[in-house]
Amino acid sequence: MSFVENLAKQLLYDPEEPILFNSAFFLYFFAAFLLCYQLVRNHERGRVWVFTLFSLYFFYKACGMFVGLVILSAIVDFYLSNRIYREEKERTRRGLLWFSIVINLGMLFYFKYTNFFIDIINGISSGHISPVNILLPIGISFYTFENLSYTIDVYRREIKPVGRFLDYLFFLSFFPKLMMGPIVRAADFIPQIYKPYVLTREDVGKGLFLIMGGLFKKVVISDFIYQNFVQYIFDDPTRYTGIECLFGVYGYALVIYCDFSGYSDMAIGIARWMGFVIPPNFARPYQSSSITEFWRRWHISLSSWLRDYVYIPLGGNRKGKWRQHLNLMLTMLIGGFWHGASWNFIFWGGVHGAALGLDKQWKKLGLHKNATGLKARLWKIGGVLFTFHLVCFCWVFFKCETFSTAGNLLHQVAFNFQGGLGLQLLQAYPKVFVIMGIGYLLHFLPERAERQVETGLVKLPLWGSVAVLTLFIWFLNEVKTLEPMLPIYLQF
């Protein structure tokens, strides 16, 4: 292959190797972006142009020509939001809002849920409609919700629409959060576009800590545990004992947390280097002592979006106890369906909805409100253990593709546990359980430990941080799942 052909292969979209934050190509992409961004850092329009063009290219490298959907979405909602804001007739404003909602949800439903509803129709009518070969565009769930919140906020007159189309396209295509969130509100993000670019040592250190921490979660913890243990358990639980299945669930709980929060941390860290502050998306959720607290800590941008644009408009807690429980259930069912086109996701959301309702009733009893000292600590520990295992139970249905597979896994845990094989299990997967132990240990460390690490990184200048990050990404790319490296460091 000639140099030109090889260069073209690297620069053009390759469905076999889409760009990821931990990929080798991202190093070159980010270095080129950082250089261009620094050249125009003192020019507002220059920053917007550079960021938007690189973001659109990033999206192209991630999913090819589906980049056009982002541009199309931006055009539709930029135009409609300005029309809504200028319009004085309430009926017309409401009609434009519903048109925006239908367009956004229609696009999301077509790409994500078409085959799901075809299966339902076939099941009800004994039909034979063939599934449609539709690829799911990366990030569509996230930027659809961002579009909806923006248009709704404009309709409520909580924010003014942007006057320049490029500014809205910049907000929607902002590459750090494009693939896996967090879901960013226009009201929080767009005002930052017009502020002067100021990068403090705190921004550099905090950004580096988040980027490296996110990469560590994703590559070292999530990918390794999943590829070397969790995927085998969930592929066919009947081949494994109950204790293996149980630890497979514990492993998946760590995998999905490190996967989601790792990407979010990287997005927030990169944004911090570019002068944009995005609120945290995860706050040590497995330390929660109730399911309500869990949803205040887990995927905060999604849970707050569902609260503000689904739960409260449905009536929230303003229309009585039973209506509140119904609103909670509907909100969580929608949240489950948002995650994927499967009855398992809907069931996952339903269990969480029911648990949230029961938790509110439990708190009204107030059995632990007056507890102090050791008794209060025991209530706390018990709450954390119960909440964690409830969440793990729900993760079984979130991960399994069918109820049959989920039932098989739970059956193994309940009726074929064989706890006496625990030591053999540890001996069979020593590296996996060491990484799992490290993951949970880091998760339950006090926050002051993180702050101490951040304080040390604050001392680095921007280019020193870039150098450290480059070496770190290169190392992760070289060792991949760390299989060649672990025997060197984990000799027991």
Side-chain angles (χ1 to χ4, degrees):
M1 184 181 295
S2 69
F3 171 78
V4 175
E5 291 175 331
N6 186 57
L7 180 63
K9 185 178 184 299
Q10 293 295 323
L11 295 177
L12 297 177
Y13 167 64
D14 183 357
E16 300 297 325
E17 295 184 9
I19 188 171
L20 299 170
F21 284 157
N22 59 315
S23 64
F25 183 81
F26 182 75
L27 275 178
Y28 305 110
F29 167 85
F30 190 62
F33 163 74
L34 193 60
L35 175 62
C36 294
Y37 194 77
Q38 290 299 310
L39 291 175
V40 298
R41 65 184 183 276
N42 295 324
H43 303 279
E44 177 196 302
R45 292 293 90 196
R47 294 197 303 270
V48 171
W49 272 104
V50 167
F51 223 128
T52 304
L53 291 174
F54 272 87
S55 292
L56 293 176
Y57 177 70
F58 180 90
F59 194 88
Y60 163 74
K61 279 288 291 180
C63 62
M65 299 312 295
F66 282 125
V67 65
L69 288 179
V70 179
I71 300 173
L72 178 62
S73 297
I75 292 172
V76 170
D77 282 271
F78 173 78
Y79 173 75
L80 289 175
S81 62
N82 278 277
R83 277 290 311 277
I84 290 170
Y85 191 78
R86 292 193 302 267
E87 183 60 51
E88 295 182 0
K89 295 180 180 179
E90 180 60 26
R91 184 176 179 180
T92 305
R93 297 179 73 247
R94 190 181 298 113
L96 291 169
L97 173 64
W98 277 108
F99 183 65
S100 171
I101 292 172
V102 169
I103 289 293
N104 281 285
L105 291 183
M107 184 172 65
L108 178 63
F109 269 67
Y110 172 74
F111 283 102
K112 195 168 185 176
Y113 303 107
T114 295
N115 287 327
F116 177 75
F117 285 107
I118 287 176
D119 289 340
I120 293 177
I121 294 170
N122 285 339
I124 295 174
S125 63
S126 298
H128 300 284
I129 303 174
S130 300
V132 182
N133 185 20
I134 302 175
L135 296 176
L136 181 64
I138 292 174
I140 190 171
S141 297
F142 293 97
Y143 63 74
T144 297
F145 270 25
E146 289 174 347
N147 268 326
L148 289 172
S149 64
Y150 173 73
T151 312
I152 293 171
D153 287 349
V154 170
Y155 170 79
R156 293 172 176 174
R157 299 200 185 280
E158 294 178 359
I159 62 172
K160 297 174 86 172
V162 294
R164 297 188 183 102
F165 169 72
L166 191 66
D167 292 349
Y168 187 68
L169 181 59
F170 172 32
F171 154 70
L172 200 64
S173 64
F174 190 73
F175 78 81
K177 53 83 178 171
L178 191 60
M179 295 174 64
M180 294 188 67
I183 301 169
V184 179
R185 307 281 183 94
D188 298 326
F189 184 89
I190 290 177
Q192 298 184 64
I193 296 175
Y194 311 114
K195 293 180 179 179
Y197 175 63
V198 178
L199 190 66
T200 65
R201 283 188 175 271
E202 181 183 357
D203 292 326
V204 174
K206 180 73 173 179
L208 181 62
F209 175 79
L210 288 168
I211 296 169
M212 292 181 65
L215 283 168
F216 186 83
K217 286 180 185 178
K218 168 63 181 164
V219 179
V220 177
I221 299 178
S222 178
D223 287 354
F224 183 81
I225 294 173
Y226 183 78
Q227 293 171 6
N228 292 280
F229 183 62
V230 169
Q231 67 172 332
Y232 303 118
I233 301 296
F234 279 88
D235 280 348
D236 186 3
T238 59
R239 296 177 57 192
Y240 301 91
T241 63
I243 190 172
E244 289 174 297
C245 290
L246 179 63
F247 276 95
V249 176
Y250 290 158
Y252 182 68
L254 194 60
V255 164
I256 193 168
Y257 164 71
C258 288
D259 208 50
F260 276 178
S261 70
Y263 268 109
S264 290
D265 287 350
M266 285 184 273
I268 295 168
I270 292 171
R272 193 70 178 258
W273 275 9
M274 300 305 111
F276 292 88
V277 177
I278 297 176
N281 203 27
F282 291 84
R284 301 170 183 270
Y286 296 141
Q287 293 187 18
S288 304
S289 59
S290 70
I291 196 66
T292 300
E293 183 184 356
F294 173 81
W295 277 103
R296 292 184 184 134
R297 292 169 173 258
W298 177 270
H299 213 323
I300 299 167
S301 64
L302 173 63
S303 57
S304 63
W305 196 99
L306 292 171
R307 178 196 65 208
D308 294 344
Y309 300 102
V310 179
Y311 176 69
I312 292 176
L314 285 172
N317 58 0
R318 303 187 306 274
K319 298 185 177 182
K321 178 178 65 175
W322 294 110
R323 180 62 182 273
Q324 180 188 20
H325 292 328
L326 176 62
N327 293 339
L328 281 170
M329 178 61 72
L330 290 174
T331 300
M332 295 310 300
L333 287 173
I334 291 170
F337 197 41
W338 177 84
H339 279 90
S342 166
W343 288 111
N344 282 46
F345 286 115
I346 296 173
F347 181 80
W348 172 84
V351 174
H352 272 283
L356 286 168
L358 291 172
D359 185 52
K360 292 191 179 298
Q361 294 302 113
W362 168 258
K363 287 182 177 178
K364 287 182 179 179
L365 296 176
L367 298 179
H368 61 290
K369 283 185 177 179
N370 298 322
T372 58
L374 177 61
K375 191 174 181 180
R377 288 194 291 273
L378 291 175
W379 271 110
K380 174 73 174 178
I381 293 171
V384 170
L385 289 173
F386 176 80
T387 302
F388 175 72
H389 284 87
L390 173 61
V391 170
C392 284
F393 170 79
C394 294
W395 285 143
V396 172
F397 296 91
F398 190 94
K399 170 58 179 170
C400 292
E401 294 185 3
T402 64
F403 286 109
S404 175
T405 304
N408 288 337
L409 190 148
L410 294 174
H411 179 272
Q412 291 298 93
V413 174
F415 300 105
N416 187 27
F417 191 68
Q418 299 189 40
L421 298 177
L423 182 59
Q424 295 181 35
L425 178 62
L426 293 175
Q427 293 173 341
Y429 300 96
K431 291 176 278 188
V432 167
F433 286 106
V434 167
I435 297 296
M436 281 179 60
I438 291 172
Y440 278 113
L441 176 64
L442 292 174
H443 185 77
F444 283 93
L445 280 177
E447 290 186 20
R448 63 176 178 272
E450 283 191 6
R451 290 195 291 270
Q452 290 174 353
V453 176
E454 289 179 25
T455 301
L457 294 175
V458 163
K459 299 176 182 179
L460 291 173
L462 176 60
W463 292 106
S465 297
V466 172
V468 170
L469 178 61
T470 300
L471 290 173
F472 188 67
I473 295 177
W474 174 83
F475 170 76
L476 294 180
N477 187 66
E478 287 297 311
V479 300
K480 300 295 183 184
T481 60
L482 306 188
E483 190 69 32
M485 299 297 294
L486 280 170
I488 299 174
Y489 295 105
L490 302 180
Q491 298 288 343
F492 296 103

